[in-house]
Coordinates of all heavy atoms in Angstrom, one line a residue:
M844 N -96.2 83.6 197.5 CA -95.4 84.0 196.2 C -96.2 84.8 195.2 O -97.3 84.5 195.0 CB -94.9 82.6 195.7 CG -93.9 83.0 194.6 SD -93.4 81.7 193.5 CE -92.5 80.5 194.3
A845 N -95.5 85.8 194.8 CA -96.1 86.7 193.9 C -96.4 86.0 192.5 O -95.6 85.3 192.0 CB -95.2 87.9 193.5
R846 N -97.5 86.3 191.9 CA -97.9 85.6 190.7 C -97.6 86.5 189.6 O -97.7 87.7 189.5 CB -99.4 85.5 190.7 CG -100.0 84.5 189.6 CD -101.5 84.3 189.9 NE -102.1 84.2 188.6 CZ -103.2 84.7 188.3 NH1 -104.0 85.2 189.2 NH2 -103.7 84.6 187.0
R847 N -96.9 85.8 188.6 CA -96.5 86.5 187.4 C -97.5 86.9 186.4 O -98.5 86.0 186.2 CB -95.4 85.6 186.7 CG -94.7 86.2 185.5 CD -93.7 85.3 184.9 NE -93.4 85.9 183.5 CZ -92.9 85.2 182.6 NH1 -92.7 83.9 182.8 NH2 -92.5 85.7 181.4
K848 N -97.5 88.2 185.9 CA -98.6 88.7 185.0 C -98.4 88.1 183.7 O -97.3 87.9 183.3 CB -98.5 90.1 185.0 CG -99.1 90.9 186.1 CD -99.1 92.4 185.7 CE -99.9 93.2 186.8 NZ -99.8 94.6 186.4
D849 N -99.4 87.8 183.0 CA -99.3 87.4 181.6 C -98.9 88.5 180.7 O -99.3 89.7 180.9 CB -100.6 86.9 181.0 CG -101.0 85.5 181.6 OD1 -100.1 84.8 182.0 OD2 -102.3 85.3 181.8
P850 N -97.8 88.3 179.7 CA -97.4 89.4 179.0 C -98.4 89.9 178.0 O -99.4 89.2 177.7 CB -96.2 88.9 178.2 CG -96.5 87.2 178.2 CD -97.2 87.0 179.4
I851 N -98.4 91.2 177.5 CA -99.3 91.7 176.7 C -99.3 91.0 175.3 O -100.4 90.7 174.8 CB -99.2 93.3 176.6 CG1 -99.4 94.0 177.9 CG2 -100.0 93.8 175.4 CD1 -99.0 95.4 177.9
I852 N -98.1 90.9 174.9 CA -97.9 90.2 173.7 C -97.2 88.9 174.0 O -96.2 88.9 174.7 CB -96.9 90.9 172.7 CG1 -97.6 92.3 172.4 CG2 -96.7 90.3 171.4 CD1 -96.8 93.2 171.6
P853 N -97.8 87.7 173.6 CA -97.2 86.5 174.0 C -95.9 86.1 173.5 O -95.6 86.5 172.4 CB -98.3 85.4 173.3 CG -99.5 86.2 173.1 CD -99.1 87.6 172.8
D854 N -95.3 85.4 174.3 CA -93.7 85.2 173.9 C -93.7 84.3 172.6 O -92.8 84.6 171.7 CB -93.2 84.3 175.0 CG -92.8 85.2 176.3 OD1 -92.8 86.4 176.1 OD2 -92.5 84.6 177.3
V855 N -94.6 83.6 172.2 CA -94.7 82.8 171.1 C -94.8 83.7 169.8 O -94.1 83.6 168.8 CB -95.9 81.8 171.1 CG1 -96.0 81.2 169.6 CG2 -95.7 80.7 172.1
L856 N -95.6 84.8 169.9 CA -95.7 85.7 168.9 C -94.4 86.5 168.6 O -94.0 86.8 167.6 CB -96.9 86.6 169.1 CG -97.3 87.8 168.1 CD1 -97.5 87.0 166.8 CD2 -98.4 88.5 168.5
L857 N -93.8 87.0 169.7 CA -92.5 87.6 169.7 C -91.6 86.7 169.0 O -90.7 87.3 168.2 CB -92.1 88.2 171.1 CG -92.9 89.3 171.6 CD1 -92.4 89.5 173.2 CD2 -92.9 90.5 170.9
D858 N -91.4 85.5 169.4 CA -90.5 84.6 168.8 C -90.8 84.5 167.2 O -89.9 84.5 166.4 CB -90.6 83.2 169.4 CG -90.1 83.1 170.8 OD1 -89.3 84.1 171.1 OD2 -90.5 82.2 171.4
Q859 N -92.0 84.5 166.8 CA -92.3 84.5 165.3 C -92.0 85.7 164.6 O -91.3 85.7 163.7 CB -93.8 84.2 165.2 CG -94.2 82.8 165.6 CD -95.7 82.7 165.3 OE1 -96.4 83.7 165.3 NE2 -96.2 81.4 165.4
L860 N -92.1 86.8 165.4 CA -91.8 88.1 164.8 C -90.2 88.4 164.6 O -89.7 88.8 163.5 CB -92.3 89.2 165.7 CG -93.8 89.5 165.5 CD1 -94.3 90.5 166.5 CD2 -94.2 90.0 164.1
L861 N -89.5 87.9 165.6 CA -88.0 88.0 165.5 C -87.5 86.9 164.6 O -86.4 87.3 164.0 CB -87.4 87.8 166.9 CG -87.7 89.0 167.9 CD1 -87.2 88.9 169.3 CD2 -87.1 90.4 167.3
A862 N -88.0 85.8 164.5 CA -87.6 84.7 163.6 C -86.1 84.4 163.5 O -85.6 84.4 162.5 CB -88.2 84.9 162.3
G863 N -85.5 84.3 164.7 CA -84.1 84.1 164.7 C -83.2 85.2 164.3 O -81.9 85.1 164.3
G864 N -83.7 86.5 164.1 CA -82.8 87.5 163.8 C -82.3 88.2 165.1 O -82.6 87.8 166.1
D865 N -81.5 89.3 164.8 CA -80.9 90.0 165.9 C -82.0 90.8 166.5 O -82.6 91.7 166.0 CB -79.7 90.7 165.3 CG -79.0 91.5 166.5 OD1 -79.1 91.1 167.7 OD2 -78.3 92.5 166.0
A866 N -82.2 90.7 167.9 CA -83.2 91.5 168.5 C -82.9 93.0 168.6 O -83.7 93.7 168.5 CB -83.3 91.0 170.1
K867 N -81.5 93.3 168.6 CA -81.2 94.7 168.3 C -81.7 95.4 167.0 O -81.9 96.6 167.1 CB -79.7 94.9 168.6 CG -79.1 94.8 170.0 CD -77.7 95.1 170.0 CE -77.2 95.0 171.5 NZ -75.8 95.2 171.6
A868 N -81.5 94.7 166.0 CA -81.9 95.1 164.7 C -83.3 95.6 164.6 O -83.8 96.4 163.9 CB -81.6 94.0 163.7
A869 N -84.3 95.0 165.6 CA -85.7 95.3 165.6 C -85.9 96.9 165.9 O -86.8 97.4 165.4 CB -86.5 94.5 166.7
F870 N -84.9 97.5 166.5 CA -85.0 98.9 166.9 C -84.4 99.8 165.9 O -84.4 101.0 166.1 CB -84.4 99.1 168.3 CG -85.1 98.3 169.4 CD1 -84.7 97.1 169.9 CD2 -86.3 98.7 170.0 CE1 -85.2 96.3 170.9 CE2 -86.9 98.1 170.9 CZ -86.4 96.8 171.4
D871 N -83.7 99.2 165.0 CA -83.0 100.1 164.0 C -84.0 100.6 163.0 O -85.2 100.3 163.0 CB -82.0 99.1 163.1 CG -80.9 98.6 163.8 OD1 -80.6 99.2 164.9 OD2 -80.2 97.7 163.4
Q872 N -83.6 101.7 162.2 CA -84.4 102.3 161.3 C -84.8 101.2 160.2 O -84.0 100.5 159.8 CB -83.7 103.5 160.6 CG -84.6 104.3 159.8 CD -84.1 105.6 159.1 OE1 -82.9 105.8 159.5 NE2 -84.7 106.3 158.4
N873 N -86.1 101.2 159.8 CA -86.6 100.2 159.0 C -86.6 98.7 159.5 O -86.6 97.8 158.8 CB -86.0 100.2 157.6 CG -86.3 101.5 156.9 OD1 -87.4 102.1 157.0 ND2 -85.2 102.0 156.1
G874 N -86.4 98.7 160.9 CA -86.4 97.4 161.5 C -87.9 96.9 161.7 O -88.8 97.5 161.2
L875 N -87.9 96.0 162.8 CA -89.2 95.3 163.0 C -90.2 96.5 163.5 O -91.4 96.3 163.1 CB -89.0 94.3 164.0 CG -90.3 93.5 164.5 CD1 -90.9 92.8 163.3 CD2 -89.9 92.6 165.6
L876 N -89.8 97.2 164.3 CA -90.7 98.3 164.8 C -91.2 99.2 163.8 O -92.5 99.5 163.8 CB -90.2 99.2 166.0 CG -89.7 98.3 167.3 CD1 -89.2 99.1 168.4 CD2 -91.1 97.8 167.8
D877 N -90.5 99.6 163.0 CA -90.9 100.4 161.8 C -91.9 99.7 160.8 O -93.0 100.2 160.4 CB -89.8 101.1 161.0 CG -89.2 102.2 161.8 OD1 -89.8 102.8 162.7 OD2 -88.1 102.7 161.3
Q878 N -91.6 98.4 160.7 CA -92.4 97.5 159.9 C -93.7 97.3 160.5 O -94.8 97.3 159.7 CB -91.8 96.2 159.5 CG -90.5 96.3 158.7 CD -89.7 95.0 158.5 OE1 -90.2 93.9 159.1 NE2 -88.5 95.1 158.0
L879 N -93.8 97.2 161.8 CA -95.0 97.1 162.6 C -95.9 98.2 162.5 O -97.1 98.2 162.3 CB -94.8 96.6 164.0 CG -94.5 95.2 164.3 CD1 -94.0 95.0 165.7 CD2 -95.6 94.2 163.9
K880 N -95.2 99.6 162.6 CA -96.0 100.8 162.5 C -96.7 100.8 161.1 O -97.8 101.3 161.0 CB -95.0 101.9 162.7 CG -94.6 102.2 164.1 CD -93.7 103.4 164.1 CE -93.0 103.7 165.5 NZ -92.0 104.7 165.4
K881 N -95.8 100.5 160.1 CA -96.4 100.6 158.7 C -97.6 99.6 158.6 O -98.7 100.1 158.1 CB -95.2 100.2 157.7 CG -95.7 100.2 156.2 CD -94.5 99.8 155.3 CE -94.9 99.5 154.0 NZ -95.6 100.6 153.2
A882 N -97.4 98.4 158.9 CA -98.3 97.4 158.9 C -99.8 97.8 159.6 O -100.9 97.7 159.0 CB -97.9 96.0 159.2
L883 N -99.6 98.2 160.8 CA -100.7 98.5 161.6 C -101.3 99.9 161.0 O -102.7 99.8 161.0 CB -100.3 98.8 163.1 CG -99.9 97.6 163.8 CD1 -99.3 97.8 165.2 CD2 -101.1 96.7 164.0
A884 N -100.6 100.7 160.6 CA -101.3 102.0 160.1 C -102.0 101.7 158.9 O -103.2 102.2 158.7 CB -100.2 103.0 159.8
E885 N -101.4 100.9 158.0 CA -102.2 100.6 156.7 C -103.4 99.7 157.0 O -104.4 99.9 156.4 CB -101.3 99.8 155.7 CG -100.1 100.7 155.1 CD -99.3 100.0 154.2 OE1 -99.1 98.7 154.2 OE2 -98.4 100.7 153.5
R886 N -103.3 98.9 157.9 CA -104.4 98.1 158.3 C -105.6 99.0 158.9 O -106.8 98.8 158.5 CB -104.1 96.9 159.3 CG -105.3 96.1 159.7 CD -104.9 94.9 160.5 NE -105.9 94.1 160.7 CZ -105.9 92.9 161.4 NH1 -104.7 92.6 161.8 NH2 -106.9 92.2 161.5
V887 N -105.3 100.1 159.7 CA -106.3 100.9 160.1 C -106.8 101.8 159.1 O -108.0 102.0 158.9 CB -105.6 101.9 161.2 CG1 -106.6 103.0 161.6 CG2 -105.3 101.0 162.5
L888 N -106.0 102.3 158.2 CA -106.5 103.1 157.1 C -107.5 102.3 156.2 O -108.4 102.7 155.6 CB -105.3 103.6 156.2 CG -104.4 104.6 156.9 CD1 -103.2 104.8 156.0 CD2 -105.2 105.8 156.9
K889 N -107.2 101.0 155.9 CA -108.1 100.0 155.1 C -109.4 99.9 155.8 O -110.5 99.8 155.3 CB -107.4 98.7 154.9 CG -106.4 98.8 153.9 CD -105.8 97.3 153.8 CE -104.5 97.3 152.8 NZ -103.8 96.0 152.7
A890 N -109.3 99.7 157.2 CA -110.6 99.6 158.1 C -111.4 101.0 158.0 O -112.6 100.9 158.0 CB -110.2 99.2 159.5
E891 N -110.7 102.1 158.0 CA -111.4 103.3 157.9 C -112.1 103.4 156.5 O -113.2 103.9 156.4 CB -110.4 104.5 158.0 CG -110.0 104.8 159.4 CD -109.0 105.9 159.5 OE1 -108.9 106.8 158.5 OE2 -108.4 106.1 160.6
M892 N -111.5 102.9 155.4 CA -112.0 103.0 154.2 C -113.3 102.0 154.1 O -114.3 102.4 153.6 CB -111.1 102.5 153.0 CG -111.7 102.4 151.6 SD -112.3 104.1 151.0 CE -110.9 104.8 150.3
D893 N -113.1 100.8 154.7 CA -114.3 100.0 154.8 C -115.5 100.6 155.5 O -116.7 100.6 155.1 CB -114.0 98.8 155.6 CG -113.0 97.8 154.9 OD1 -112.8 97.9 153.7 OD2 -112.4 96.8 155.5
H894 N -115.2 101.3 156.6 CA -116.2 102.1 157.3 C -116.9 103.2 156.5 O -118.1 103.4 156.4 CB -115.7 102.6 158.6 CG -116.7 103.3 159.4 ND1 -117.8 102.6 160.1 CD2 -116.9 104.6 159.7 CE1 -118.5 103.5 160.8 NE2 -118.0 104.7 160.5
H895 N -116.1 103.8 155.7 CA -116.5 105.0 155.0 C -117.5 104.5 153.7 O -118.3 105.1 153.6 CB -115.2 105.7 154.2 CG -115.5 106.7 153.2 ND1 -116.1 107.9 153.7 CD2 -115.3 106.8 152.0 CE1 -116.2 108.7 152.6 NE2 -115.7 107.9 151.5
L896 N -117.1 103.3 153.3 CA -117.8 102.9 152.1 C -119.0 102.1 152.6 O -120.0 101.8 151.8 CB -117.0 101.9 151.2 CG -115.8 102.7 150.5 CD1 -115.0 101.8 149.7 CD2 -116.4 103.8 149.5
A897 N -119.1 101.6 153.8 CA -120.2 100.8 154.2 C -121.6 101.4 154.1 O -122.5 100.7 153.7 CB -120.0 100.5 155.7
G898 N -121.8 102.7 154.3 CA -123.0 103.2 154.2 C -123.3 104.0 153.0 O -124.4 104.7 152.8
D899 N -122.5 103.9 152.0 CA -122.4 104.7 150.8 C -123.4 104.1 149.8 O -123.0 102.9 149.4 CB -121.1 105.0 150.2 CG -121.1 106.2 149.3 OD1 -122.2 106.5 148.7 OD2 -120.0 106.5 148.9
E900 N -124.4 104.7 149.4 CA -125.3 104.1 148.4 C -125.1 104.6 147.0 O -125.8 104.3 146.1 CB -126.9 104.4 148.8 CG -127.1 103.6 150.1 CD -127.1 102.2 150.2 OE1 -127.3 101.5 149.0 OE2 -126.9 101.6 151.2
S901 N -124.1 105.5 146.9 CA -124.0 106.2 145.6 C -123.2 105.5 144.6 O -122.9 106.1 143.6 CB -123.4 107.7 145.8 OG -122.1 107.5 146.4
G902 N -122.7 104.3 145.0 CA -122.0 103.5 144.0 C -120.3 103.8 144.1 O -119.6 103.4 143.4
N903 N -120.0 104.7 145.1 CA -118.6 105.0 145.4 C -117.9 103.7 145.9 O -118.5 102.8 146.6 CB -118.4 106.0 146.5 CG -117.1 106.6 146.6 OD1 -116.2 106.2 145.8 ND2 -116.8 107.2 147.8
R904 N -116.8 103.4 145.3 CA -116.0 102.3 145.7 C -114.5 102.5 145.7 O -114.1 103.6 145.4 CB -116.3 101.1 144.6 CG -116.0 101.4 143.4 CD -116.5 100.2 142.3 NE -116.2 100.4 141.0 CZ -116.8 101.0 140.2 NH1 -117.9 101.7 140.4 NH2 -116.4 101.1 138.9
R905 N -113.8 101.6 146.1 CA -112.3 101.7 146.1 C -111.7 102.1 144.8 O -112.2 101.7 143.7 CB -111.7 100.4 146.6 CG -112.1 100.0 148.1 CD -111.3 98.7 148.5 NE -111.8 98.4 149.8 CZ -111.3 98.8 150.9 NH1 -110.2 99.7 150.8 NH2 -111.8 98.6 152.0
N906 N -110.6 102.8 144.8 CA -109.9 103.2 143.5 C -108.4 103.1 143.8 O -107.6 104.1 143.6 CB -110.4 104.6 143.2 CG -109.8 104.9 141.7 OD1 -109.6 104.1 140.9 ND2 -109.6 106.3 141.6
G907 N -107.9 102.0 144.2 CA -106.5 101.7 144.4 C -105.8 102.5 145.6 O -106.5 102.7 146.7
Y908 N -104.6 102.9 145.6 CA -103.8 103.3 146.8 C -102.9 104.5 146.2 O -102.5 104.5 145.3 CB -103.0 102.2 147.5 CG -103.8 101.2 148.1 CD1 -104.1 100.1 147.3 CD2 -104.1 101.2 149.3 CE1 -104.8 99.1 147.9 CE2 -104.8 100.1 149.9 CZ -105.3 99.2 149.1 OH -106.0 98.1 149.8
G909 N -102.8 105.4 147.2 CA -101.8 106.5 147.0 C -100.7 106.3 147.9 O -100.8 105.6 149.0
R910 N -99.5 106.8 147.7 CA -98.3 106.7 148.5 C -98.1 108.0 149.3 O -98.4 109.1 148.8 CB -97.1 106.3 147.7 CG -97.1 105.0 147.2 CD -95.9 104.6 146.6 NE -95.5 105.5 145.3 CZ -94.5 105.5 144.6 NH1 -93.5 104.6 144.9 NH2 -94.5 106.3 143.5
K911 N -97.9 107.8 150.5 CA -97.6 109.0 151.4 C -96.5 108.7 152.4 O -96.5 107.6 152.9 CB -98.8 109.1 152.2 CG -98.8 110.4 153.1 CD -100.2 110.6 153.8 CE -100.2 111.9 154.4 NZ -101.5 112.2 154.9
T912 N -95.5 109.4 152.5 CA -94.3 109.4 153.4 C -94.7 110.2 154.5 O -94.9 111.4 154.5 CB -93.1 109.8 152.7 OG1 -92.9 109.0 151.5 CG2 -91.9 109.6 153.5
V913 N -94.7 109.5 155.7 CA -94.9 110.3 157.0 C -93.6 110.2 157.9 O -92.8 109.2 157.7 CB -96.0 109.8 157.8 CG1 -97.4 110.1 157.1 CG2 -96.0 108.4 158.0
L914 N -93.3 111.1 158.7 CA -92.2 111.1 159.6 C -92.6 110.6 160.9 O -93.6 110.9 161.5 CB -91.6 112.4 159.6 CG -91.1 113.1 158.4 CD1 -90.6 114.6 158.7 CD2 -89.9 112.3 157.9
T915 N -91.7 109.6 161.5 CA -92.0 109.0 162.8 C -90.8 109.4 163.7 O -89.9 110.1 163.3 CB -92.1 107.5 162.7 OG1 -90.9 106.9 162.3 CG2 -93.2 107.1 161.7
D916 N -91.0 109.0 164.9 CA -89.8 109.2 165.7 C -88.5 108.6 165.4 O -87.4 109.0 165.7 CB -90.1 108.7 167.1 CG -91.3 109.5 167.8 OD1 -91.6 110.5 167.4 OD2 -91.9 108.8 168.8
T917 N -88.6 107.5 164.6 CA -87.4 106.8 164.1 C -87.0 107.0 162.7 O -86.1 106.4 162.1 CB -87.6 105.3 164.4 OG1 -88.7 104.8 163.6 CG2 -87.7 104.9 165.9
G918 N -87.7 107.9 161.9 CA -87.5 108.1 160.5 C -88.7 108.1 159.7 O -89.9 108.2 160.2
A919 N -88.5 108.1 158.4 CA -89.7 108.2 157.4 C -90.3 106.8 157.2 O -89.5 105.8 157.1 CB -89.3 108.8 156.2
V920 N -91.5 106.6 157.0 CA -92.2 105.5 156.7 C -93.1 105.9 155.5 O -93.9 106.9 155.6 CB -93.0 104.9 157.9 CG1 -93.9 103.7 157.6 CG2 -92.2 104.6 159.0
E921 N -93.1 104.9 154.5 CA -93.9 105.2 153.3 C -95.2 104.2 153.5 O -95.0 103.0 153.7 CB -93.2 104.8 152.1 CG -94.0 105.2 150.8 CD -93.3 105.1 149.5 OE1 -92.2 105.8 149.5 OE2 -93.6 104.2 148.6
L922 N -96.4 104.9 153.3 CA -97.6 104.2 153.7 C -98.4 104.2 152.2 O -98.3 105.0 151.5 CB -98.5 104.9 154.6 CG -98.0 105.0 156.1 CD1 -98.8 105.9 156.9 CD2 -97.7 103.7 156.7
S923 N -99.2 103.1 152.1 CA -100.2 103.0 151.1 C -101.6 103.4 151.6 O -102.2 102.7 152.5 CB -100.3 101.6 150.5 OG -99.0 101.3 149.8
V924 N -102.0 104.5 151.2 CA -103.3 105.1 151.5 C -104.4 104.7 150.6 O -104.3 105.1 149.4 CB -103.2 106.5 151.9 CG1 -104.5 107.1 152.3 CG2 -102.1 106.9 152.7
P925 N -105.5 104.0 151.0 CA -106.5 103.8 150.1 C -107.2 105.0 149.6 O -107.3 106.0 150.3 CB -107.5 102.9 150.9 CG -107.2 103.0 152.4 CD -105.8 103.5 152.4
R926 N -107.8 104.9 148.3 CA -108.6 106.0 147.8 C -109.9 105.4 147.3 O -110.1 104.3 147.1 CB -107.8 106.5 146.4 CG -106.5 107.0 146.6 CD -105.9 107.7 145.4 NE -106.0 106.5 144.4 CZ -105.0 106.5 143.3 NH1 -103.9 107.2 143.3 NH2 -105.1 105.5 142.4
D927 N -110.8 106.3 147.1 CA -112.0 106.0 146.6 C -112.4 106.8 145.4 O -111.7 107.8 145.0 CB -113.3 106.2 147.7 CG -113.5 107.7 148.1 OD1 -112.4 108.5 148.0 OD2 -114.5 108.0 148.6
R928 N -113.3 106.4 144.5 CA -113.6 107.0 143.2 C -114.1 108.5 143.4 O -113.8 109.2 142.6 CB -114.6 106.1 142.5 CG -114.0 104.8 142.0 CD -114.5 104.3 140.8 NE -113.9 103.2 140.4 CZ -112.9 103.1 139.5 NH1 -112.4 104.2 139.0 NH2 -112.5 101.9 139.1
A929 N -114.9 108.7 144.6 CA -115.5 110.0 144.5 C -114.5 111.0 145.4 O -114.9 112.1 145.4 CB -116.9 109.9 145.3
S930 N -113.4 110.5 145.7 CA -112.5 111.3 146.5 C -113.1 111.9 147.8 O -112.8 113.1 148.2 CB -111.9 112.3 145.7 OG -111.1 111.8 144.5
T931 N -113.9 111.2 148.4 CA -114.6 111.7 149.7 C -113.9 111.1 150.9 O -114.3 111.5 152.0 CB -116.1 111.5 149.6 OG1 -116.3 110.0 149.5 CG2 -116.8 112.2 148.5
F932 N -113.1 110.2 150.7 CA -112.4 109.5 151.9 C -111.4 110.5 152.6 O -110.4 111.0 151.8 CB -111.8 108.2 151.5 CG -111.0 107.5 152.6 CD1 -111.6 107.2 153.8 CD2 -109.7 107.2 152.4 CE1 -111.0 106.5 154.8 CE2 -109.0 106.6 153.5 CZ -109.7 106.2 154.7
D933 N -111.6 110.7 153.7 CA -110.7 111.6 154.7 C -110.2 110.8 155.7 O -110.9 110.7 156.9 CB -111.3 112.8 155.0 CG -110.5 113.8 155.6 OD1 -109.2 113.8 155.6 OD2 -110.9 114.7 156.4
P934 N -109.1 110.2 155.7 CA -108.6 109.4 156.8 C -108.4 110.1 158.1 O -108.1 111.3 158.1 CB -107.3 108.9 156.3 CG -106.9 109.4 155.1 CD -108.1 110.3 154.6
Q935 N -108.7 109.4 159.1 CA -108.6 110.0 160.6 C -107.3 109.8 161.2 O -106.8 110.6 161.9 CB -109.8 109.4 161.4 CG -111.1 109.8 160.9 CD -111.4 111.3 160.6 OE1 -111.3 112.0 161.6 NE2 -111.8 111.7 159.6
L936 N -106.7 108.6 161.0 CA -105.5 108.3 161.6 C -104.4 109.2 161.2 O -103.6 109.8 162.0 CB -105.0 106.8 161.3 CG -103.7 106.4 161.8 CD1 -103.8 106.3 163.3 CD2 -103.3 105.1 161.3
I937 N -104.2 109.4 159.9 CA -103.3 110.4 159.3 C -104.1 111.1 158.3 O -104.4 110.7 157.3 CB -102.0 109.7 158.7 CG1 -101.4 108.8 159.8 CG2 -101.1 110.7 158.2 CD1 -100.3 108.0 159.2
G938 N -104.2 112.5 158.6 CA -105.1 113.4 157.7 C -104.5 113.5 156.4 O -103.2 113.2 156.1
K939 N -105.2 114.0 155.4 CA -104.8 114.2 154.1 C -103.6 115.0 153.9 O -102.7 114.7 153.2 CB -105.9 114.9 153.3 CG -107.0 114.0 153.0 CD -108.0 114.7 151.9 CE -109.1 113.8 151.4 NZ -109.9 114.3 150.4
Y940 N -103.3 116.1 154.8 CA -102.1 116.9 154.6 C -101.1 116.6 155.8 O -100.2 117.5 155.8 CB -102.5 118.4 154.5 CG -103.4 118.6 153.2 CD1 -104.9 118.7 153.5 CD2 -102.9 118.4 151.9 CE1 -105.6 118.8 152.3 CE2 -103.8 118.6 150.9 CZ -105.1 118.8 151.1 OH -105.9 118.9 150.0
Q941 N -101.4 115.7 156.5 CA -100.7 115.5 157.8 C -99.3 114.8 157.4 O -99.4 113.8 156.6 CB -101.3 114.7 158.7 CG -100.6 114.5 160.0 CD -101.5 113.8 161.1 OE1 -102.6 113.5 160.9 NE2 -100.9 113.3 162.2
R942 N -98.2 115.2 157.8 CA -96.8 114.6 157.4 C -96.2 113.9 158.6 O -95.1 113.3 158.3 CB -96.0 115.6 156.8 CG -96.5 116.2 155.5 CD -96.4 115.1 154.4 NE -97.0 115.6 153.2 CZ -97.7 114.8 152.4 NH1 -98.0 113.5 152.7 NH2 -98.3 115.2 151.4
R943 N -96.6 114.0 159.8 CA -96.1 113.4 160.9 C -97.0 112.4 161.5 O -98.3 112.5 161.6 CB -95.8 114.5 162.0 CG -94.7 115.4 161.6 CD -94.0 115.9 162.9 NE -92.9 116.9 162.4 CZ -91.6 116.5 162.3 NH1 -91.5 115.3 162.5 NH2 -90.7 117.2 161.8
F944 N -96.4 111.2 161.8 CA -97.2 110.1 162.4 C -97.4 110.4 163.9 O -96.4 110.6 164.4 CB -96.5 108.8 162.2 CG -97.3 107.6 162.4 CD1 -98.3 107.2 161.5 CD2 -97.1 106.9 163.4 CE1 -99.1 106.1 161.8 CE2 -97.9 105.7 163.8 CZ -98.9 105.3 163.0
P945 N -98.5 110.5 164.4 CA -98.7 110.8 165.7 C -98.2 109.6 166.6 O -98.3 108.5 166.5 CB -100.3 110.8 165.9 CG -100.9 109.9 164.8 CD -99.8 110.0 163.7
G946 N -97.4 110.2 167.7 CA -96.8 109.3 168.6 C -95.7 108.6 168.1 O -94.8 108.0 168.5

């Protein structure tokens, strides 16, 4: 008998994400998928800032967030992009002047 593969994302986690809501609504604009894109992008940007500041001995540090609206396949998503005091942070996931979210 064929053995069933384990899912990439466990069913328990998917149940928590959907939390009794309509599964079709997850695919709507500003639905669960767009919220996940936003959350993951912001987490990556924060990690990029951590890496940027890790080796900096000049006293450069975080300086709040800027807002940036990027276009995705499903519509516009507003991101909070971290800033640093020296303005030397150049994000790699979504560049300074990039307006389209890759993929």
Side-chain angles (χ1 to χ4, degrees):
M844 185 191 291
R846 196 170 141 214
R847 185 176 165 205
K848 284 186 173 181
D849 291 332
I851 294 172
I852 299 174
D854 290 338
V855 174
L856 180 58
L857 290 175
D858 291 341
Q859 288 175 348
L860 287 171
L861 292 173
D865 182 20
K867 283 185 178 181
F870 298 98
D871 293 341
Q872 188 172 1
N873 294 324
L875 178 63
L876 290 180
D877 283 346
Q878 293 171 11
L879 281 171
K880 283 181 191 177
K881 176 181 171 60
L883 288 172
E885 288 178 350
R886 185 168 182 178
V887 169
L888 290 168
K889 286 178 188 177
E891 286 182 9
M892 177 62 84
D893 290 342
H894 180 72
H895 174 71
L896 294 176
D899 194 349
E900 300 294 328
S901 66
N903 190 15
R904 58 186 189 272
R905 294 179 183 276
N906 189 25
Y908 294 88
R910 289 187 295 182
K911 181 176 195 169
T912 302
V913 292
L914 298 175
T915 67
D916 296 339
T917 57
V920 175
E921 188 171 301
L922 298 175
S923 294
V924 180
R926 298 184 306 215
D927 63 333
R928 292 210 179 266
S930 297
T931 56
F932 177 56
D933 187 18
Q935 300 301 306
L936 178 68
I937 300 172
K939 283 189 177 182
Y940 303 104
Q941 186 176 351
R942 294 289 174 222
R943 293 203 176 268
F944 192 74

